[in-house]
Amino acid sequence: MSRSDRDATRERAHAKGLYPAAASEGRSRNMRANKRVDTKPEVALRKELHRLGYRYRKDLRLVLDDGVRVRPDIVFTARKVAVFVDGCFWHVCPEHGREPTSNEWYWTPKLRRNVERDHLVTSALQQAGWRVVRVWEHEPLMAAVAAVTETFEHGFDASC
């Protein structure tokens, strides 16, 4: 979908009251700049794991038996370990997450759905025999690396 198509779709949704208007062009530009993959914390974690000799797939689409589709940030296929680097805003970090102050009618349910989806995905992966590691974007790099590598060493679920 082209950018103009996306903009037109967004404008129609805004006209119907389904999508909020940006507070400013600067805010709109800022939100569009948020990436789904290759965030700084994710890239830092991948680089450190690679430096330590771990090999993985990134953003690999997994389709589970019950039809749940998921794209973990880092996937160790042979070990069946899925790693997610969750952003504090988008996944409502208990330490840094906060209630939206503008357009709360839109953002509050959206963020709630993100958290519910996280729980569903974690549960579905565990039921399919995967170990799940979730780390927050604010966690120190070495703590995130330890959360992943301990999963290999101890064979337990290190999900948060």
Side-chain angles (χ1 to χ4, degrees), residues 36-47:
R36 187 184 68 79
V37 296
D38 295 336
T39 62
K40 288 179 184 178
E42 180 187 329
V43 170
L45 178 58
R46 286 198 324 250
K47 282 183 177 180

Side-chain angles (χ1 to χ4, degrees), residues 29-67:
R29 204 172 32 253
N30 176 274
M31 294 305 277
R32 275 196 308 265
N34 286 310
K35 300 189 297 184
R36 187 184 68 79
V37 296
D38 295 336
T39 62
K40 288 179 184 178
E42 180 187 329
V43 170
L45 178 58
R46 286 198 324 250
K47 282 183 177 180
E48 185 61 19
L49 289 168
H50 192 273
R51 189 187 71 73
L52 293 171
Y54 293 97
R55 299 301 180 255
Y56 50 81
R57 305 277 305 270
K58 71 172 198 168
D59 195 42
L60 177 67
R61 182 176 187 225
L62 302 174
V63 180
L64 305 176
D65 291 338
D66 54 3

Side-chain angles (χ1 to χ4, degrees), residues 2 4 6 16 24 27 35 52-53 55 63 73 86 101 111 113 120 124 127 153 155 157 159:
S2 71
S4 62
R6 278 194 310 270
K16 293 178 183 175
S24 68
R27 170 62 64 195
K35 300 189 297 184
L52 293 171
R55 299 301 180 255
V63 180
D73 298 315
D86 292 337
T101 55
L111 298 176
R113 285 190 309 270
L120 171 76
Q127 289 174 0
E153 296 166 9
D157 178 13
S159 64

Side-chain angles (χ1 to χ4, degrees), residues 131 150-157:
R131 288 174 286 171
E150 286 173 6
T151 302
F152 300 144
E153 296 166 9
H154 299 102
F156 69 92
D157 178 13

Side-chain angles (χ1 to χ4, degrees), residues 3-123:
R3 182 174 173 164
S4 62
D5 290 341
R6 278 194 310 270
D7 289 345
T9 300
R10 186 176 295 118
E11 286 302 318
R12 284 192 302 274
H14 173 65
K16 293 178 183 175
L18 302 174
Y19 194 83
S24 68
E25 181 54 36
R27 170 62 64 195
S28 181
R29 204 172 32 253
N30 176 274
M31 294 305 277
R32 275 196 308 265
N34 286 310
K35 300 189 297 184
R36 187 184 68 79
V37 296
D38 295 336
T39 62
K40 288 179 184 178
E42 180 187 329
V43 170
L45 178 58
R46 286 198 324 250
K47 282 183 177 180
E48 185 61 19
L49 289 168
H50 192 273
R51 189 187 71 73
L52 293 171
Y54 293 97
R55 299 301 180 255
Y56 50 81
R57 305 277 305 270
K58 71 172 198 168
D59 195 42
L60 177 67
R61 182 176 187 225
L62 302 174
V63 180
L64 305 176
D65 291 338
D66 54 3
V68 174
R69 295 181 311 256
V70 59
R71 286 185 175 273
D73 298 315
I74 302 169
V75 181
F76 297 90
T77 54
R79 298 176 181 187
K80 290 188 87 169
V81 173
V83 180
F84 296 88
V85 181
D86 292 337
C88 291
F89 174 74
W90 298 105
H91 299 272
V92 191
C93 168
E95 190 174 331
H96 298 109
R98 60 181 181 82
E99 289 293 317
T101 55
S102 62
N103 294 318
E104 38 307 298
W105 61 270
Y106 174 80
W107 286 108
T108 299
K110 180 175 180 58
L111 298 176
R112 188 177 307 120
R113 285 190 309 270
N114 287 351
V115 171
E116 290 168 359
R117 186 186 64 237
D118 291 344
H119 291 301
L120 171 76
V121 162
T122 297
S123 177

